[in-house]
Amino acid sequence: MPDVVVIGAGVVGAACAYYAARAGLEVTVVERGSVASGTTGAGEGNVLVSDKEPGPELDLALLSNVLWRELAELGGFEFEAKGGLVVAETGEVQRALTGLARAQAVEHEVVAPEDLPRYEPHLATGLAGGVFYPQDAQVQPMLAAARLLRHGAPELRTGETVTGFLRSGDRVTGVRTDRAEIPAAAVVNAAGTWAGEIAELAGAPLPILPRRGFVLVTEPLPEPLIRHKVYTAAYVTNVASDSAGLESSAVVEGTPSGTVLIGASRERVGFDRTLSIPVLRALARQAVELFPVLADTRLIRAYCGFRPYCPDHLPVIGPDPRAPGLYHACGHEGAGIGLAPATGHLVARLLTGAETGLDLRPFLPDRFAGETS
Amino acid sequence: MKHETEFEISFDGGPVPARQGQTIGAVLHAAGIRSWRTTRFGGRPRGLFCGIGVCFDCLVTVNGTPSLRACQTEALPGDEVTSG
């Protein structure tokens, strides 16, 4: 009998499995699809501190940033510590960016407009400046998840769907799947955008909903044109927004294979995978505004995914008092890749009864008490 | 006797027979040329993979224009195709 069953083989589930195994626990991972088949495989691989408002999520991101660098030592996946450049279109926006950077108190460099080409030679002219965050990084999340699972989960059960929980009174004592019953001392819900369904099965609902995003991929460029993760200040506003309508802002970056990834759109349209030409058009236009050189570059594909968001835009990390034995590690919205190691680390500490070293209260599932999901 | 819709293109300097309506990918394939590019890290050979314009594995340079999909580009008389 495993000590822990982790539901979900995305990067968050993989990190939970990895850190739990490192703490000496025996872990089984159950995944209804395949490794990284949900939101992990549909993003850009952001490991960002730059886009976080000061507060609990930034604290989590800073911890995670350090942990990603350690995990990168495992090898087997791309991790690029290339830094992020946030740019401002106007002086007013630049003042806001500079103010945010000061409040965040993370490592940064304020970049004057005339210095922008030193960071990004192909950036559009006429921008009002920017802020460079050396800690921002990019990871190949699918390979990272696979690598963490290899280290952390001797038993990985893919293509197996959790259909219910084993209970002893209120207590969760394992999971029931479409193939077996798996008793375990604890269960971790790392089902990402579908974690609300899992929570529902435990009679402990969580208000996690999908926020759709598209990413465009260009043909591979012979020479890298874009050195850092580059995005406009509007991205920070959009990340924190509560709007249901389409929001998009350019997030542009190169990858080691030569392609350029272009995000990021946000829409609340349920689990609708229909390709949206207006969204793709908006993303392409914004990317070309930022990097005019991309106007001559062809797109070779687009993909979409669903960020798991909570009403307060914070993840859900911690034990569920409604179902003792059940722990949540989900609801990271667009920051799941970046926040995965810290989440896994904290869940492993909780599972072993160790001090977490970070105030978990803002992330606990209890905070939704009284809300309808 | 050579049919009038048959012509030649060049591939990396050498002549390759072509027929009207063929893509460059088809011309190369028919001539037994299976790969004309390597991956940037592993140096693995690449040529036609999907054959329908999706994968961008079969890129060639045609008359100086780089990064064209061989499977989507029609061969025309006198085309100078280069690999890489």
Side-chain angles (χ1 to χ4, degrees):
Chain A
M1 174 174 128
D3 297 307
V4 190
V5 168
V6 175
I7 305 170
V11 71
V12 173
C16 289
Y18 174 80
Y19 284 102
R22 226 173 68 167
L25 301 176
E26 196 170 307
V27 185
T28 292
V29 175
V30 183
E31 160 65 51
R32 71 174 171 184
S34 52
V35 171
S37 58
T39 308
T40 294
E44 287 173 281
N46 284 342
V47 179
L48 300 185
V49 296
S50 54
D51 67 336
K52 310 284 186 293
E53 299 283 336
E57 196 187 5
L58 179 58
D59 296 340
L60 201 61
L62 286 166
L63 171 61
S64 226
N65 200 276
V66 173
L67 295 176
W68 262 126
R69 281 156 216 275
E70 285 176 22
L71 294 176
E73 307 275 310
L74 294 172
F77 60 90
E78 293 161 7
F79 178 84
E80 294 182 278
K82 58 183 171 186
L85 180 68
V86 195
V87 297
E89 294 92 338
T90 66
E92 192 185 340
V93 173
Q94 175 65 0
R95 279 188 292 282
L97 277 185
T98 312
L100 174 64
R102 205 176 300 122
Q104 288 167 323
V106 302
E107 202 181 324
H108 68 273
E109 295 152 27
V110 175
V111 184
E114 61 272 21
D115 291 331
L116 284 172
R118 276 204 297 118
Y119 288 82
E120 291 293 342
H122 296 283
L123 201 57
T125 53
L127 292 161
V131 179
F132 179 68
Y133 290 82
Q135 286 166 288
D136 279 0
Q138 186 183 4
V139 68
Q140 212 291 10
M142 291 171 272
L143 286 175
R147 183 58 56 146
L148 294 179
L149 285 167
R150 187 173 296 173
H151 285 276
E155 195 180 22
L156 170 62
R157 303 168 69 135
T158 54
E160 185 165 349
T161 304
V162 170
T163 56
F165 285 87
L166 307 180
R167 305 295 278 257
S168 169
D170 277 349
R171 188 158 186 86
V172 165
T173 55
V175 297
R176 182 176 297 112
T177 75
D178 52 359
R179 283 196 233 149
E181 290 189 352
I182 313 172
V187 176
V188 176
N189 174 16
T193 315
W194 299 269
E197 295 171 27
I198 295 294
E200 195 77 47
L201 290 176
L206 291 175
I208 295 176
L209 290 168
R211 201 175 182 192
R212 186 172 73 178
F214 281 96
V215 174
L216 305 180
V217 186
T218 71
E219 61 184 327
L221 304 179
E223 296 296 327
L225 296 177
I226 296 157
R227 299 174 179 177
H228 307 96
K229 189 174 284 277
V230 182
Y231 59 95
T232 53
Y235 177 71
V236 182
T237 320
N238 287 357
V239 167
S241 156
D242 287 315
S243 166
L246 169 67
E247 293 172 326
S248 73
S249 48
V251 179
V252 183
E253 65 197 304
T255 69
S257 64
T259 57
V260 174
L261 303 182
I262 297 168
S265 65
R266 303 181 120 75
E267 293 168 281
R268 296 178 187 175
V269 290
F271 286 103
D272 181 359
R273 286 196 176 273
T274 313
L275 193 73
S276 167
I277 299 296
V279 177
L280 305 191
R281 190 180 290 134
L283 289 173
R285 181 178 48 76
Q286 289 169 329
V288 170
E289 279 169 11
L290 203 53
F291 287 99
V293 64
L294 291 177
D296 297 325
T297 305
R298 277 163 301 183
L299 296 170
I300 62 173
R301 59 179 171 268
Y303 55 88
C304 80
F306 301 99
R307 306 174 183 90
Y309 81 88
C310 289
D312 57 7
H313 304 289
L314 291 177
V316 188
I317 304 168
D320 196 317
R322 298 165 295 182
L326 175 64
Y327 296 76
H328 297 293
C330 52
H332 295 73
E333 200 162 333
I337 309 300
L339 300 178
T343 303
H345 164 82
L346 291 169
V347 166
R349 308 281 295 177
L350 289 167
L351 290 169
T352 53
E355 284 290 321
T356 57
L358 191 88
D359 182 7
L360 277 185
R361 279 174 298 179
F363 308 119
L364 292 177
D366 322 34
R367 73 183 193 268
F368 302 116
E371 279 187 37
T372 51
S373 55
Chain B
M1 191 184 100
K2 199 168 190 177
H3 197 270
E4 64 180 5
T5 59
E6 291 179 3
F7 52 88
E8 278 184 353
I9 67 171
S10 81
F11 176 70
D12 285 344
V16 184
R19 284 208 311 264
Q20 192 179 4
Q22 277 185 314
T23 65
I24 288 170
V27 167
L28 296 178
H29 201 75
I33 301 166
R34 296 287 187 265
S35 69
W36 46 85
R37 201 175 70 77
T38 52
T39 59
R40 59 186 66 204
F41 298 112
R44 305 278 304 154
R46 288 292 185 273
L48 289 179
F49 178 62
C50 76
I52 56 170
V54 176
C55 74
F56 282 65
D57 253 4
C58 64
L59 300 180
V60 286
T61 298
V62 183
N63 304 324
T65 305
S67 298
L68 294 174
R69 287 165 287 176
C71 72
Q72 299 291 295
T73 308
E74 189 178 340
L76 297 173
D79 272 349
E80 290 182 14
V81 180
T82 52
S83 60

